[in-house]
Amino acid sequence: MKRRVFIEKSILAYLGLLISPALMAACRKEDLLPDSTFSGKVIIIGAGAAGLYAGYILKSRGIDFTIIEASNRAGGRLDKKSDFADYPIDLGAQWLHGRDSILGDLAKSTGTNISKDNSDEVYWFNKKISSIIPKDVEAILSPTDNVTDISFLEYAEQQGLGSEYKYIVEQLAGDSGADASDLSIKWNAVEEEDWNSGDSDFKFEASFFDLIDKNITEEIKDSILLNTPITKINYSGNRVLMTDNLGKSYTGDKVIVTVPITILQDKDINFEPALPQSKIEAFNKIGMGAGMKVFLKFSSKFYNENIAGGEICAAYADEVVGKIGSDNVLLAFVMGRQAEHLTSLGSDEAITNALLAELDSMYAGQATSSFIDAHVEDWTTKPFIKGAYSYSKVGIGNARSIAAKPIDNKLFFAGEAMNLNGHHQTVHGAIETGYRAVINILTD
Amino acid sequence: MKTLITVVFLVFASSSYSQELRIGVGYSNLYSKQYDRLIQTYNVSRPFLQEKQPLLNTGIHSSLSYLFKSEKNLRSGIAIDYSLVNSKAENQNLDLTLSFNMFELGYLLQYNNEDKFGHFYSEFGIGAVLGILNKKQDNEAYLIDDKVIRSLQIGAAVSLNIGYVFELKDKLKVSPFIGFQYAPYFSEGQSERVINQTINLIDEEEQYSSFFKFDLGLRVYLPRKKREKKL
């Protein structure tokens, strides 16, 4: 072969090699599920964040699905009220806990205005409002590595926090949706190790509810069946048969159960065959306490932005922070036994009066004198919610992982309580489990 | 690692006569199952993004290699490689760039039998590889609580290169080549956090994984004057 011919052929071969990687690249897909052969029907039980997002992903894949919701609205523990103040208030979830998550991406890409909650905090300590307290109570959030499985309250006592700190400790536990005597200091820390969304809290200029409602629920609203409590799930056959409270049946090839953990604990849904005992035990090891939000509207702003340590309510927060509006609304964020106590008072008026009395003691009677209106949102008495959000109860261990495990490749479990990567208790944690369930179904 | 660098340096320093110094640039094609799956999960989970995140697939690489003199068909050398593979998706209010940087320091053996294969040569290399996965959102480093989040990998690499040397005038030589590299690595386990903002969501993140890289490029042999030995 002459040198020139060889060089020409070499150049041609080289150009060919240049093209081949491009062809190789074209064979690989950006889509995780390009070859999924699943063409059945998916039933999603519950139209909370996890269920809605699972439906949203299924719709984007062109897969047949129906969301069956027990209550008369979609959103689960997200809801809003627009006529209480001159800005909308979130009746359920209202803080975006960290911006570095799928919801941070959604907010960013949709141009949703959020702002970092930099509000100040004061303490109700020894019957006085104080901006500082003698001991660093928040240090208990970072326990030592060898801490045993004891409650927040017990650990706080071990750390020398006396009874004067009790309700400040309750406020910290309340952030995790629990009473301090139930929340595990060990497992709470273990589960939070995986937290990776960022430590700052953000508030929505409009509402958290709107972010999900306008961008997710709106896209799939035609596939949501409201006012349909499912009471029985029979997964013994090839297809799953579900029955509602009126005896009407629904069938699906795969079912994603996204109801709150309390619904599973209380056996409001009867599974046939019965769920494995290990799963039932796992459900019961996950905590979910009472939760209530009371919005108090005043004619003047006499209160601080955050008040921790109340005996009736351990956490108050100024609702106008991050909002465009001027109405003075103070949120009483009541968790655990404090919420149970307020619920036991029996009426919204009694609840409001109890809170006003506490605020009066803190601010020399200014609460009652400037009180205008109140809205009580008691999540514990809602029959399809029954509480606030899940927490790491003493003894929880790996219960979430057992609870979240699919059964027979037909039943899949989602919802904030089923989040295994540190994002339980949050809306983005619920959403992650929603798309996790869909990926598990479609990659089978 | 320190020992390896020292040995390589000593070999380099003690035989700096009549060697060949080469620089190379080219195109890289990366295949990483781990990254593919994470990016695919990211794409499936975010239908609200119009533009899908491309896989970490194509990029560029550059290399500097040094071949020691030998009278035999088999020569040894050392090489430093750097490759950069990018993935960028531009979405409304959310531009995301993933960059995988790979640094390799390796030892190579070149086989060149001019009688049989003319100017063709093949090279086998082994080395250590360091990979850094970076993320940028809207052209700014990805921060969580003001800390840059990136994922590091460290591993070994084996490679095979095949090339052809063209001799141009004044001892200048160029060599188109193709290369294949396989690198098993140990990951610190942050890749899912960087790409999908989750940890162990679908499966536990693999601590041991690997990537395969295909390179195509051109090497230039830098002409070197032979040093005169002093009498």
Side-chain angles (χ1 to χ4, degrees), chain A residues 57-377:
Chain A
I57 301 285
L58 288 168
K59 187 182 178 187
S60 76
R61 316 292 314 173
I63 290 168
D64 186 19
F65 72 97
T66 299
I67 299 177
I68 301 178
E69 166 60 31
S71 75
N72 61 358
R73 47 171 284 276
R77 282 165 273 177
L78 284 156
D79 198 2
K80 76 165 181 179
K81 189 166 175 61
S82 301
D83 57 359
F84 184 74
D86 58 354
Y87 45 87
I89 55 172
D90 277 301
L91 300 176
Q94 72 179 80
W95 284 277
L96 183 63
H97 299 295
R99 195 172 37 184
D100 301 290
S101 70
I102 190 166
L103 279 186
D105 285 356
L106 179 63
K108 209 164 190 295
S109 70
T110 53
T112 303
N113 290 333
I114 58 173
S115 61
K116 199 170 176 174
D117 186 344
N118 287 321
S119 51
D120 294 330
E121 185 169 61
V122 296
Y123 304 93
W124 178 239
F125 184 72
N126 285 338
K127 307 288 180 197
K128 281 184 199 158
I129 292 284
S130 311
S131 55
I132 49 169
I133 47 178
K135 289 184 179 171
D136 179 13
V137 180
E138 290 200 5
I140 66 168
L141 293 175
S142 310
T144 52
D145 288 343
N146 57 357
V147 69
T148 52
D149 189 13
I150 56 173
S151 74
F152 250 57
L153 195 61
E154 207 177 335
Y155 185 73
E157 284 165 3
Q158 283 181 7
Q159 299 304 304
L161 298 171
S163 58
E164 68 273 29
Y165 290 94
K166 176 174 167 45
Y167 293 103
I168 297 172
V169 172
E170 288 295 353
Q171 182 259 333
L172 290 180
D175 268 357
S176 294
D179 206 79
S181 55
D182 297 326
L183 183 64
S184 165
I185 192 82
K186 175 185 173 180
W187 293 109
N188 190 62
V190 167
E191 292 185 335
E192 296 229 338
E193 260 176 34
D194 283 343
W195 178 267
N196 68 306
S197 307
D199 286 338
S200 301
D201 290 334
F202 293 82
K203 283 191 78 175
F204 290 81
E205 186 180 295
S207 74
F208 204 154
F209 175 81
D210 282 345
L211 178 75
I212 301 299
D213 193 57
K214 288 179 180 169
N215 299 295
I216 308 299
T217 313
E218 186 63 26
E219 294 282 323
I220 54 168
K221 62 183 178 190
D222 296 338
S223 302
I224 303 172
L225 201 57
L226 298 174
N227 300 308
T228 311
I230 292 296
T231 55
K232 193 195 287 184
I233 298 177
N234 184 330
Y235 63 100
S236 58
N238 285 335
R239 302 195 83 206
V240 184
L241 178 70
M242 284 140 288
T243 312
D244 69 15
N245 60 332
L246 300 176
K248 193 175 171 188
S249 297
Y250 310 84
T251 53
D253 298 286
K254 311 278 182 186
V255 175
I256 305 176
V257 179
T258 74
V259 298
I261 191 70
T262 42
I263 303 301
L264 296 169
Q265 288 168 340
D266 293 350
K267 299 186 177 169
D268 291 351
I269 299 173
N270 178 30
F271 289 86
E272 283 181 11
L275 294 176
Q277 190 57 30
S278 60
K279 205 165 188 74
I280 293 167
E281 285 169 9
F283 291 157
N284 291 325
K285 283 183 180 175
I286 300 171
M288 180 152 151
M292 177 189 291
K293 290 176 84 177
V294 183
F295 299 87
L296 302 162
K297 190 151 96 174
F298 298 104
S299 57
S300 65
K301 186 177 171 178
F302 60 87
Y303 44 83
N304 296 85
E305 286 179 330
N306 288 284
I307 311 145
E311 194 176 335
I312 302 295
C313 168
Y316 293 93
D318 187 349
E319 191 62 19
V320 80
V321 170
K323 301 282 186 185
I324 294 178
S326 57
D327 281 352
N328 302 307
V329 177
L330 185 65
L331 163 67
F333 190 74
V334 201
M335 291 284 153
R337 294 205 174 82
Q338 289 186 328
E340 286 172 17
H341 166 70
L342 288 184
T343 300
S344 73
L345 297 179
S347 72
D348 288 359
E349 192 182 356
I351 291 167
T352 304
N353 287 339
L355 292 167
L356 288 175
E358 176 161 84
L359 288 167
D360 277 340
S361 66
M362 293 175 176
Y363 294 99
Q366 293 181 79
T368 301
S369 61
S370 60
F371 175 70
I372 297 173
D373 195 7
H375 175 84
V376 176
E377 194 70 17

Side-chain angles (χ1 to χ4, degrees), chain B residues 23-123:
Chain B
I23 56 170
V25 290
Y27 162 91
S28 286
N29 187 273
L30 178 79
Y31 174 69
S32 162
K33 191 179 170 189
Q34 183 188 25
Y35 290 164
D36 279 6
R37 187 160 173 81
L38 291 173
I39 294 172
Q40 288 161 343
T41 300
Y42 175 88
N43 284 331
V44 167
S45 65
R46 288 158 172 83
F48 53 84
L49 297 178
Q50 296 298 309
E51 188 177 328
K52 297 288 175 207
Q53 191 72 32
L55 299 179
L56 276 167
N57 200 332
T58 56
I60 53 166
H61 86 271
S62 60
S63 65
L64 180 67
S65 51
Y66 208 94
L67 291 171
F68 305 124
K69 185 187 174 185
S70 172
E71 300 301 325
K72 297 174 186 172
N73 293 334
L74 202 60
R75 305 170 73 190
S76 61
I78 54 169
I80 299 170
D81 282 83
Y82 168 70
S83 303
L84 171 65
V85 177
N86 264 339
S87 155
K88 182 167 188 179
E90 293 181 0
N91 281 290
Q92 196 176 1
N93 304 320
L94 188 67
D95 291 349
L96 190 72
T97 305
L98 298 169
S99 310
F100 185 47
N101 300 268
M102 287 158 284
F103 302 90
E104 188 195 347
L105 179 65
Y107 176 80
L108 55 88
L109 281 174
Q110 185 191 75
Y111 178 72
N112 179 12
N113 186 336
E114 289 220 0
D115 296 337
K116 275 189 181 173
F117 304 112
H119 289 191
F120 276 106
Y121 65 88
S122 58
E123 284 176 6

Side-chain angles (χ1 to χ4, degrees), chain A residues 182-184 187-188 191 390-394 396 400 424:
Chain A
D182 297 326
L183 183 64
S184 165
W187 293 109
N188 190 62
E191 292 185 335
S390 73
Y391 66 85
S392 313
K393 196 159 74 170
V394 173
I396 188 172
R400 287 187 203 273
H424 54 278

Side-chain angles (χ1 to χ4, degrees), chain B:
Chain B
M1 188 68 180
K2 255 186 186 173
T3 315
L4 178 68
I5 292 169
T6 311
V7 169
V8 168
F9 178 77
L10 287 174
V11 171
F12 179 87
S14 64
S15 56
S16 56
Y17 289 95
S18 306
Q19 307 88 348
E20 285 181 310
L21 181 66
R22 309 177 301 181
I23 56 170
V25 290
Y27 162 91
S28 286
N29 187 273
L30 178 79
Y31 174 69
S32 162
K33 191 179 170 189
Q34 183 188 25
Y35 290 164
D36 279 6
R37 187 160 173 81
L38 291 173
I39 294 172
Q40 288 161 343
T41 300
Y42 175 88
N43 284 331
V44 167
S45 65
R46 288 158 172 83
F48 53 84
L49 297 178
Q50 296 298 309
E51 188 177 328
K52 297 288 175 207
Q53 191 72 32
L55 299 179
L56 276 167
N57 200 332
T58 56
I60 53 166
H61 86 271
S62 60
S63 65
L64 180 67
S65 51
Y66 208 94
L67 291 171
F68 305 124
K69 185 187 174 185
S70 172
E71 300 301 325
K72 297 174 186 172
N73 293 334
L74 202 60
R75 305 170 73 190
S76 61
I78 54 169
I80 299 170
D81 282 83
Y82 168 70
S83 303
L84 171 65
V85 177
N86 264 339
S87 155
K88 182 167 188 179
E90 293 181 0
N91 281 290
Q92 196 176 1
N93 304 320
L94 188 67
D95 291 349
L96 190 72
T97 305
L98 298 169
S99 310
F100 185 47
N101 300 268
M102 287 158 284
F103 302 90
E104 188 195 347
L105 179 65
Y107 176 80
L108 55 88
L109 281 174
Q110 185 191 75
Y111 178 72
N112 179 12
N113 186 336
E114 289 220 0
D115 296 337
K116 275 189 181 173
F117 304 112
H119 289 191
F120 276 106
Y121 65 88
S122 58
E123 284 176 6
F124 171 76
I126 55 168
V129 66
L130 172 71
I132 304 172
L133 177 68
N134 285 315
K135 177 173 171 175
K136 279 188 173 180
Q137 266 189 0
D138 301 325
N139 291 319
E140 289 183 5
Y142 181 58
L143 305 170
I144 296 183
D145 297 329
D146 303 323
K147 284 183 197 155
V148 176
I149 302 298
R150 55 168 64 102
S151 170
L152 299 179
Q153 285 84 40
I154 190 157
V158 288
S159 61
L160 179 67
N161 278 256
I162 297 166
Y164 185 86
V165 179
F166 293 97
E167 288 190 13
L168 306 176
K169 59 182 180 179
D170 296 333
K171 293 185 180 177
L172 180 69
K173 293 190 283 187
V174 294
S175 164
F177 71 95
I178 57 171
F180 306 91
Q181 186 186 58
Y182 173 72
Y185 61 79
F186 172 77
S187 169
E188 65 163 340
Q190 290 267 64
S191 304
E192 184 178 338
R193 187 180 190 196
V194 171
I195 295 173
N196 197 50
Q197 299 166 315
T198 54
I199 294 175
N200 304 335
L201 182 76
I202 307 293
D203 300 305
E204 216 164 280
E205 185 170 345
E206 296 169 77
Q207 281 202 306
Y208 296 96
S209 192
S210 61
F211 65 77
F212 179 78
K213 190 159 70 77
F214 171 82
D215 295 324
L216 187 67
L218 192 71
R219 289 191 180 108
V220 178
Y221 289 64
L222 298 180
R224 291 175 59 83
K225 283 183 183 173
K226 204 169 184 177
R227 232 187 255 178
E228 296 291 332
K229 284 189 177 175
K230 287 180 183 175
L231 292 172

